[in-house]
Amino acid sequence: MVLDAIETTCVYCGCGCGLYLHVEDSKIIAVTPSMKPPARGRLCAKGWLLHGFANHPDRLREPLMRRGDRYVQTSWSEVLSFIAKSFADIKRDSGPDALAVLTSAKATNEENYLLMKLCRAALGTNNIDNVARLCHAPTLFALGSSLGSGSMTNPIESLLHSDLIMIIGSNTTEQHPVVSFYVMEARRNGAKIIVMDPRRTQIAEIADLHLQMRPGTDIALLNAILNVVIREGMIDEEFIRSRTDGFDEVHDRVAEYTPEAAERICGVPAELIHDAAVMYGSAGDAAIVYAMGITQHAHGTDNVQAIVNLALATGNLGRDGSGIYPLRGHQNVQGACDMGALPDYYTGYQKVSEFREKFEDSWNVELPASQGRTAIEIMSSAGSEIRGMYISGENPALSYPDSSRIRSALESLDLLVVADIFPTETTRMADVVLPIASFAEKYGTVTSTERKVQLIRKAIDPPGNALPEWVVAAKLLEIFGISAGYDSSAAVMREIAALTPSYGGISHERLERGGIHWPCPTQEHPGTPVLYRDGFPRGRALFRHVDQHECGDGRFTLIIGRSQYHFHTGSMTRRVCILEREVPEAFVDVNPKDAASLGIRNGTGVILESESGTIRARARLSDSVSSGTLFMPFHFRESPANMLTGWQLDPHSKIPSLKITSVSIRREGA
Amino acid sequence: MMFFLEKNDLPELLRRASAYFEIIAPVLVNGEPQLVSWRGEDLALGAPNPLLPPTRLFLPPRETLFTYLQESGLYTFQVPQVKERLIVGVRPCDLRALSLLDRIMLSEPADELYSKRRRSTAIVALSCTEPSESCFCAQMGSGPEAHEGFDLLLTDLGERYLLETGSPDGIMLARLSEELLERGDDAEKRALMRESRERILSARPWLSQERMRSKLREIDWRSMSRECISCGGCSFVCPTCHCFTIADLGLPDGERIRCADSCILSGFHRMASGANPKARPEERLLSWYMEKLEYMLSRAGMPGCVGCGRCERVCFSGLHKTDLFR
Ligand code: SF4
Ligand code: SF4
Ligand code: SF4
């Protein structure tokens, strides 16, 4: 019966806020923020209410196996040998590429690493991916190919040094609250803020300029800004000459993107575009912050590239206060990618095609060379080429596009193993359900959006027989005859560090004293908060011209996003009574003018229909969206917004176009 | 009674008390002061006041009111045990907040768990000789000295503590360590407290309860609240906040829990019809301050702000800076 305070990292968004769990008798009774950066004493409501779900009675406590349409409790040893045997059977009959693993952005680095090892070394396939495919795959591709590293260039705190912060496609106050704290601090210290968003969000209200473009017209807008910056002579010629390639083509081709031309595409007055460009171009240190409003498009990679072009042309990289800030959605989505839970990379973005031998030598097994599939490709071949799948802590039945198609894909598998902390729409389809320890019940590391590797610490015991997933993965590896004798997650990190240059100097012992920004190649290295101070890893950074793509022609464009009080598919936040009380059901924001013409009032039930499906939700009249635009969050199984989305993929990164969908809307019963 | 206690002897005094009580004290956890069960670590009495107010040990942000078990249609209930505790290092502001909570939670019908915890907890208070920048207890009449509500009171005199007893329990506790104590007087303490009070007052000479109350309706809450993200943090750290919500988790077995709630959150005010009289953050912020500065005063005879400064430390905006009332 003791009262304790354990410092750990928030489980929800990629801000990576440090906080203390106050624990009494293995129950979390309170949460307070850490005073260290990035939290610096601040948390959003989800963070303050983190005591709400870990001790919830709905937690999965025992391994479950399907018998007919019921689940029966079983032991770990039985369930693990069943999984191993079934996967081995599938592998024997249909080859290793009939298997696939989707890892979790909620799991630790150590867990992602062991699942990656399990997939490649034991199952023998590169069919591994994680939820980054649905949020920042375009970032990885565009920033990786043009700058050398597919992640945030500067730490969050760097925003305090910015003279100007341009925010595009990010509802920062709601989705990355603690980043918005730094934006607001910067503003209080005199920084200018420009927000580009089809919705008038809270951060847009605070901004000096808000450019409310039509959904999906980001490239036209960004190109037009570059166009003005060039015409007004505000580019950084020295930077372009000494550190980049490919500017000339961009220079010539953005000439057609005059503010007037962009106005016709984006619906933003040319004058406002001009003002924003001058404001951006004349700022000393300017930062660009973006999130899924940029990436979740069938041309997401091009969107990100347009941002890169702008930052390169003005030399806004490699200094405090400048830089590009892709904001990651999950606590450890950065880490899941860093750990090689990607079909084409091992840890630290070491290409499968180049580094296979290195990993074969270290793990002492032969590794697959075949091309792995991405998340959406895995789903689309489920039931045909893919027959067995391990899903760790994700809920694709609700979070992936075109939910009904996903559900039938999952149903048609021979073996579906799902590991999670709560029953979800996806565990309900599983043949085997594994009960997993939550973030508060295990040790490990997670990597936040600012490339900061931080510890999570065990505060309470897992319920029932739930186990940390690294233990599960280690046991499975052992059954497959690939043992490395891991006795703790710190031991797993030692193996990661030995194999991964950017994590080379990272160990749990060091992290006890605070987080470290990768790259951190050696034990003595302090970490690298700001990238590209003295150059780009690929030599010179690359411009690449991108053109605006065709936009949807439907009468209504639905934007799908989030509420600040819920996280992802709500499996955690909807079990926290106060968060659930704040936003208990899905809503569709409708502009009052549209509402009048459709006969819709505040609170009216409406039917939304797209090519993929039909759902019902309640209308909320709001002038935060313009006429023709609708907005809806996707957390709610009762109104699953992703029933409406389709499977158009970005050709480079294979991200599906989750952000916008052409829909029709009508009053329920009309 | 007043005694001098050598600083080195405080742990021994607490060790003796630990035969009767679980000792809760501020210690540094990864560099930050936190209230935890004391196991002999260095005490962090000189560090800033922990963010989690000690009042929350009596009304935890999440607590189980009882667990229920169903068997063949019959329910059995189990209520949690309450333990004997000694909380060390409670500052005068938080002590005042506790007596305000007493007036609210113990008025009939008294809250059962709160009153059980209250009865089984002893308090060693700490005079504030080193106020933080965000403190304004002196202006709110709650510090930096403690006058009542403690069993023992410590004042840091540099080399040693002045130990004062405030209750029969406090005298008993002091007796346990009699030979460590030396008869003392408060001459030195009075000088230190005068200094501390002046320091707090001169940091904000213009601030007073009357000023805050009269300014309340003049503040442009609308533009001020544009940066409020409705995180609830100001309520969750405020030592006088005590609103809660109740939920039953689990069927057929489970627990009834009580959770800290906040009137800063919009859903707190939403009515069954869906209408919300306080849908806008500026309305909620004004009512938050009205509650603190006017309603609590008229209901419980004390203002609901004790000047601990915690709300400012956690706020995203400038909304809880006392400058607002300038
Ligand atoms: S901002 Fe993100 S990391 Fe911080 S408390 Fe909120 S959800 Fe957690
Ligand atoms: S209102 Fe702020 S300063 Fe006053 S008691 Fe509450 S937290 Fe402390
Ligand atoms: S702490 Fe600040 S931002 Fe959070 S609810 Fe209170 S006033 Fe708003």
Side-chain angles (χ1 to χ4, degrees), chain B residues 136 234 237-240 288-289 292 304-312:
Chain B
F136 54 102
C234 44
V237 292
C238 180
T240 71
W288 197 81
Y289 272 108
K292 300 266 171 229
C305 173
V306 296
C308 74
R310 286 189 180 90
C311 50
E312 182 191 332

Side-chain angles (χ1 to χ4, degrees), chain B residues 173-226:
Chain B
L173 273 169
R175 285 234 173 97
L176 290 175
S177 300
E178 221 155 9
E179 83 281 9
L180 302 177
L181 305 175
E182 191 187 315
R183 280 258 161 215
D185 62 77
D186 64 355
E188 208 177 329
K189 170 188 167 182
R190 272 186 300 185
L192 279 173
M193 294 323 295
R194 231 185 346 263
E195 234 174 79
S196 171
R197 167 176 298 274
E198 261 150 39
R199 204 138 44 118
I200 299 169
L201 290 175
S202 63
R204 297 171 178 82
W206 41 268
L207 189 67
S208 69
Q209 292 182 49
E210 294 66 45
R211 171 142 199 108
M212 286 172 91
R213 271 197 295 277
S214 66
K215 268 270 186 182
L216 260 188
R217 286 166 208 279
E218 290 169 30
I219 293 168
D220 179 5
W221 293 104
R222 176 128 202 201
S223 68
M224 286 303 303
S225 69
R226 291 198 312 166

Side-chain angles (χ1 to χ4, degrees), chain A residues 1-7 20 22 24-25 27-36 40-45 48-49 51-52 55-58 173 177-178 180-181 184-185 187-188 202 205-206 457 512 564-565 575 577-578 581-584, chain B residues 22 24 29-32 34-37 39 51-52 56-57 60-62 64 67 81 83 85 225-233 236-237 245 247 249-250 253-255 257 259-262 265-268 270 312-318:
Chain A
M1 301 262 272
V2 287
L3 180 71
D4 238 323
I6 288 107
E7 191 181 30
Y20 285 83
H22 300 267
E24 197 178 347
D25 306 335
K27 288 203 168 166
I28 305 172
I29 62 160
V31 176
T32 53
S34 157
M35 298 308 286
K36 306 177 187 87
R40 294 223 312 200
R42 274 81 188 172
L43 294 177
C44 74
W48 282 109
L49 296 169
H51 49 68
N55 295 106
H56 198 286
D58 285 357
T173 45
V178 161
S180 79
F181 166 64
M184 296 191 288
E185 275 284 282
R187 175 176 166 272
R188 290 190 279 266
Q202 185 174 5
E205 298 251 5
I206 298 170
R457 295 185 179 86
E512 279 293 341
Q564 67 161 318
Y565 292 107
R575 289 188 168 88
C577 54
I578 291 180
R581 192 259 328 266
E582 282 308 296
V583 184
Chain B
E22 182 200 5
I24 307 287
V29 179
N30 302 322
E32 298 184 36
Q34 300 292 350
L35 283 174
V36 297
S37 296
R39 309 171 186 91
L51 265 187
L52 185 75
R56 282 296 177 192
L57 299 181
R62 183 199 194 274
T64 304
T67 52
Q81 295 288 314
K83 44 203 150 183
R85 273 180 164 168
S225 69
R226 291 198 312 166
E227 292 182 358
C228 170
I229 69 155
S230 301
C231 67
F236 297 138
V237 292
T245 193
L249 304 181
D253 307 334
E255 55 179 3
I257 62 157
C259 254
D261 205 341
S262 166
L265 302 176
S266 154
F268 184 94
R270 193 180 57 238
E312 182 191 332
R313 286 159 72 192
V314 302
C315 184
F316 279 73
S317 62

Side-chain angles (χ1 to χ4, degrees), chain B residues 10-75:
Chain B
L10 179 59
E12 179 55 27
L13 183 140
L14 295 179
R15 248 190 299 278
R16 293 184 192 179
S18 70
Y20 304 89
F21 296 101
E22 182 200 5
I23 311 284
I24 307 287
V27 305
L28 293 183
V29 179
N30 302 322
E32 298 184 36
Q34 300 292 350
L35 283 174
V36 297
S37 296
W38 182 69
R39 309 171 186 91
E41 303 95 326
D42 288 345
L43 296 165
L45 292 173
N49 209 359
L51 265 187
L52 185 75
T55 48
R56 282 296 177 192
L57 299 181
F58 301 90
L59 189 64
R62 183 199 194 274
E63 65 178 326
T64 304
L65 294 179
F66 55 81
T67 52
Y68 47 88
L69 260 172
Q70 194 254 103
E71 240 176 310
S72 356
L74 282 182
Y75 277 95

Side-chain angles (χ1 to χ4, degrees), chain B residues 56-103:
Chain B
R56 282 296 177 192
L57 299 181
F58 301 90
L59 189 64
R62 183 199 194 274
E63 65 178 326
T64 304
L65 294 179
F66 55 81
T67 52
Y68 47 88
L69 260 172
Q70 194 254 103
E71 240 176 310
S72 356
L74 282 182
Y75 277 95
T76 48
F77 303 94
Q78 212 178 358
V79 290
Q81 295 288 314
V82 166
K83 44 203 150 183
E84 307 278 315
R85 273 180 164 168
L86 176 73
I87 310 179
V88 182
V90 180
R91 316 275 178 130
C93 56
D94 292 335
L95 213 51
R96 174 63 68 95
L98 200 55
S99 52
L100 175 60
L101 288 192
D102 285 350
R103 294 191 187 187

Side-chain angles (χ1 to χ4, degrees), chain A residues 2-9 19-28 54-55 59 108 110-111 331 436-446 454-471 487-490 508 512, chain B residues 29-30 39:
Chain A
V2 287
L3 180 71
D4 238 323
I6 288 107
E7 191 181 30
T8 189
T9 309
L19 46 83
Y20 285 83
L21 298 178
H22 300 267
V23 172
E24 197 178 347
D25 306 335
S26 209
K27 288 203 168 166
I28 305 172
N55 295 106
R59 284 287 302 276
T108 61
E110 292 78 2
E111 293 170 330
Q331 169 203 42
I436 293 300
S438 79
F439 84 110
E441 297 148 9
K442 63 189 177 193
Y443 291 96
T445 64
V446 291
Q454 309 187 96
L455 280 183
I456 61 165
R457 295 185 179 86
K458 183 175 178 204
I460 55 175
D461 291 323
N465 279 314
L467 283 178
E469 205 169 9
W470 70 264
V471 176
D487 56 0
S488 64
S489 98
H508 284 208
E512 279 293 341
Chain B
V29 179
N30 302 322
R39 309 171 186 91

